[in-house]
Amino acid sequence: MSRSTSAIKYNFSAGTFHDTGLVDGIGLQLMKLSAKMTRPMEYAGMSVAHRLLRSVLPSRRRIETELFPDTKFVFPYGDAYWGTLLDNSCLYSPECEEFLMSIRDEDYTFIDCGANYGYMSAIITSDAYGNKPSIAIEADPGTFEILQENAAINDHRFKIMNRAIFSKSGEMVNMSGAKHEARSILDDDGNMHQGNVETLALDDLIDWIKAQGHEKVMLKLDVEGVEIDAMKGATKLLDTELAVFYEDHAADKTHAVSRYFLETLGMRVFYPDGTRCREIRNINDVSDFKVHSHIGYDFIATNSEPWLKTIRGD
C-alpha cells in the first residue's frame, strides 16, 4: 500500500482527523493540544512535546492535510516543525500568507528556495492564491522525497528541483543538521560540506522564469545561512521586476541578511504585517520586529516600481 493511500486525513479548516488508529489518534489529539497551548509563545516547546509523543505513541504514517479543496500537504506524523499545522486556529505563517492572499489578483512567478516539503508552492499554486506558477527547490535529499509526494498529490502543478542554492552552479555539497527545516550546506565556520547535491545559481532559472510569461518575480529565500551567497548568483535576476521574500532569524543580532539587502544591494525592505507592509528605514528598525529569539522573521526586499506599487497598495 502506498504512503498516500495509508495516510491519516486531516481537514485543516475543520481541525478534524480521519482514518486514524487508536495509537496515532490519541497521539494526534495530544499533539494538537500541544500546538494550541504553545502558540502564544510562538510554539516554543512544541517540538520537544511532539518528539516525546512520537516516541511514546509511534506511527510511521503520513498526515495528508487538506488546506483547500484543491490543495493537499503531506508531512510525517510527529513532525516537530510542521506540527504547527495541527493548530488550525492560526495560519502557518500568518503575516506572509495574509499578504500573499491580499495580492492574489497580481500576476507573478514564484521561486521557492529552501522549499522544505513544498508548503508555499502548494498554496501559491492554489485557486485561493491565484494559481501562480512556482518552482520548489530543496537541497536535502530526504526532505526532497516528501516534496516529491506533495508535488504529486497536487497534480504536479509546480516544478521541483533537488539542488542547493548558492552563488554558482555545479559545486557538489552535502547537508548537515539534525532538523530538516534547519539543515545547511555550511558548517559553523561558514565552510561548505562536500557531498553529492549539486548547487544552483539563481540566474540559471532565468529561461524558466521568462517562459512563465509574467513581468514580476517573487523569490522566497529561506536557505539557512546561504541567503547572501544566493543573491551573489542572482545578478540577472536582480535586473527583473523582483521582490525577495527572505527570512532573517532573530538569533542573528547583526541582522546580516537584512543589512545586505539594505546596505549592499541598496534595496527597500518591508515587514509584511497581514495585508499591509511597514517599511524598514534603517538596520536598527529590524530589531523592532524580531521579538522572539527562537524563530525567523519574514521581510520583503525590492527596488521594482511595479512591486512597490503593489506593496503600497497603489
Side-chain angles (χ1 to χ4, degrees):
M1 183 179 292
S2 70
R3 282 173 173 160
S4 61
T5 56
S6 64
I8 296 164
K9 309 298 184 184
Y10 171 48
N11 185 298
F12 178 79
S13 61
T16 54
F17 302 101
H18 302 279
D19 301 329
T20 61
L22 176 62
V23 173
D24 50 35
I26 295 171
L28 284 169
Q29 292 298 336
L30 291 173
M31 291 174 193
K32 181 178 180 179
L33 178 62
S34 169
K36 287 182 177 294
M37 289 179 63
T38 56
R39 181 168 67 87
M41 293 84 72
E42 296 290 341
Y43 301 106
M46 187 205 74
S47 61
V48 175
H50 283 206
R51 283 193 291 268
L52 176 62
L53 288 166
R54 186 177 64 206
S55 65
V56 175
L57 299 165
S59 175
R60 296 177 62 85
R61 300 172 73 190
R62 301 277 202 249
I63 300 171
E64 184 180 294
T65 308
E66 181 181 323
L67 298 171
F68 305 112
D70 67 342
T71 303
K72 295 179 175 64
F73 178 70
V74 166
F75 62 95
Y77 169 93
D79 190 286
Y81 181 76
W82 289 106
T84 56
L85 290 177
L86 301 181
D87 173 20
N88 70 322
S89 64
C90 185
L91 297 171
Y92 159 66
S93 178
E95 296 84 3
C96 172
E97 291 176 54
E98 288 172 9
F99 173 73
L100 292 174
M101 181 70 78
S102 74
I103 63 168
R104 68 178 307 278
D105 293 330
E106 298 283 335
D107 290 328
Y108 62 88
T109 297
F110 194 76
I111 306 172
D112 188 1
C113 294
N116 199 271
Y117 297 155
Y119 177 86
M120 291 305 299
S121 284
I123 67 168
I124 212 73
T125 56
S126 70
D127 286 342
Y129 282 79
N131 307 110
K132 313 305 178 193
S134 178
I135 182 169
I137 306 166
E138 171 56 41
D140 182 69
T143 302
F144 184 76
E145 287 184 9
I146 302 179
L147 172 58
Q148 288 179 302
E149 290 184 45
N150 279 312
I153 64 172
N154 288 289
D155 299 321
H156 299 283
R157 68 187 186 213
F158 54 89
K159 182 179 173 64
I160 60 175
M161 293 182 72
N162 184 200
R163 295 288 188 274
I165 299 298
F166 198 58
S167 57
K168 58 183 178 179
S169 297
E171 301 286 330
M172 301 305 293
V173 297
N174 208 344
M175 306 295 294
S176 69
K179 301 177 181 180
H180 65 78
E181 73 277 9
R183 289 177 184 144
S184 177
I185 64 173
L186 302 179
D187 62 21
D188 292 339
D189 296 321
N191 301 309
M192 285 201 305
H193 296 281
Q194 299 303 306
N196 56 4
V197 178
E198 187 175 351
T199 60
L200 176 74
L202 288 168
D203 279 346
D204 284 354
L205 297 173
I206 287 292
D207 288 342
W208 177 84
I209 293 167
K210 290 179 178 178
Q212 308 315 304
H214 295 312
E215 177 188 28
K216 292 193 289 189
V217 180
M218 179 174 287
L219 167 65
K220 190 218 83 178
L221 197 59
D222 182 6
V223 286
E224 299 302 328
V226 198
E227 286 81 3
I228 293 173
D229 288 296
M231 293 309 300
K232 290 178 180 178
T235 54
K236 295 177 184 177
L237 193 58
L238 283 166
D239 288 335
T240 67
E241 301 297 348
L242 176 69
V244 184
F245 231 119
Y246 70 92
E247 182 182 84
D248 192 333
H249 204 282
D252 178 13
K253 303 303 182 183
T254 69
H255 318 308
V257 181
S258 292
R259 188 182 298 276
Y260 183 79
F261 281 108
L262 279 167
E263 299 177 1
T264 303
L265 295 181
M267 299 174 78
R268 294 175 67 177
V269 172
F270 301 83
Y271 177 75
D273 189 5
T275 59
R276 67 191 183 102
C277 294
R278 291 187 274 177
E279 186 162 6
I280 305 297
R281 299 294 180 180
N282 58 66
I283 196 64
N284 294 325
D285 288 347
V286 176
S287 59
D288 294 339
F289 298 99
K290 293 164 65 172
V291 178
H292 299 278
S293 61
H294 65 284
I295 64 172
Y297 287 83
D298 293 319
F299 296 89
I300 305 172
T302 190
N303 274 336
S304 161
E305 190 56 37
W307 272 117
L308 288 171
K309 289 180 179 179
T310 296
I311 289 169
R312 292 192 299 255
D314 293 353

